[in-house]
Amino acid sequence: MNSTDVLLKNIKAIKRSLNKVNQIVVAILMTLLILDVWLGVLDRYWLRLQLVWVEEMARYIMIWAILMAVPCCTANREHMGLEFVTKHFPEKVKSSLKLLIGVLTVSFFAYIAYLGIAFTEKGASQLSTVFGMPMAYAYAAIPVTFGLSAVQAFLNLLDDALSLSNGPDKNPLAPQEENI
């Protein structure tokens, strides 16, 4: 096993670990969202406590949960691709396009994260309606999730570049075709 293989294995391990933590956070947020919505339903029809905060809480949890799913999709390469276009090209062109799309993806996510920081800073002076909390907590979902997406996309790009330099037949981690 050469150094490229070890590096590829480490990149895949980092991607898996980061994605696992991210998936756990999304699961916790979705559980909280379900509980919050059910509390709102119970309150409206049975408890009649007139809890005013459940709707606003659901809104902020949903924003975070949805955006936290973006890095999960990025890690698993479940984002939109251009396969319908690239499948008609020769392998060398496909590889180059894959790397170019990887660079563009990392750049896009990093740029949105950068813009999200200014948006979050602007939200520090705005307060939420019910809680009176700074909106920066809700707006922080943008730089956090797109920053994580940029990291996952960068790890995918490194994986692609190292796999390409290693060659498909030399990469022990590449999917192997089975003869049936």
Side-chain angles (χ1 to χ4, degrees), residues 103-119:
V103 168
L104 290 174
T105 303
V106 171
S107 301
F108 171 76
F109 285 140
Y111 183 65
I112 297 296
Y114 172 74
L115 292 177
I117 292 169
F119 192 60

Side-chain angles (χ1 to χ4, degrees), residues 14-26 29 63-79 105 108-109 113 140-156:
I14 292 168
K15 272 179 24 179
R16 270 192 310 273
S17 299
L18 188 57
N19 193 38
K20 188 66 174 172
V21 170
N22 200 21
Q23 288 174 339
I24 291 168
V25 169
V26 171
L29 288 170
I63 289 168
W64 271 94
I66 290 169
L67 288 177
M68 285 300 286
V70 173
C72 294
C73 294
T74 304
N76 295 324
R77 300 174 188 265
E78 295 169 347
H79 53 285
T105 303
F108 171 76
F109 285 140
I142 296 168
V144 169
T145 58
F146 282 94
L148 285 170
S149 295
V151 169
Q152 287 289 20
F154 181 70
L155 291 171
N156 283 339

Side-chain angles (χ1 to χ4, degrees), residues 104-171:
L104 290 174
T105 303
V106 171
S107 301
F108 171 76
F109 285 140
Y111 183 65
I112 297 296
Y114 172 74
L115 292 177
I117 292 169
F119 192 60
T120 303
E121 289 171 348
K122 191 182 285 187
S125 62
Q126 301 169 355
L127 299 177
S128 68
T129 309
V130 175
F131 292 121
M133 72 173 191
M135 289 301 294
Y137 293 120
Y139 296 163
I142 296 168
V144 169
T145 58
F146 282 94
L148 285 170
S149 295
V151 169
Q152 287 289 20
F154 181 70
L155 291 171
N156 283 339
L157 178 62
L158 283 177
D159 186 6
D160 292 342
L162 290 171
S163 296
L164 188 63
S165 71
N166 213 17
D169 51 330
K170 294 181 186 176
N171 184 1

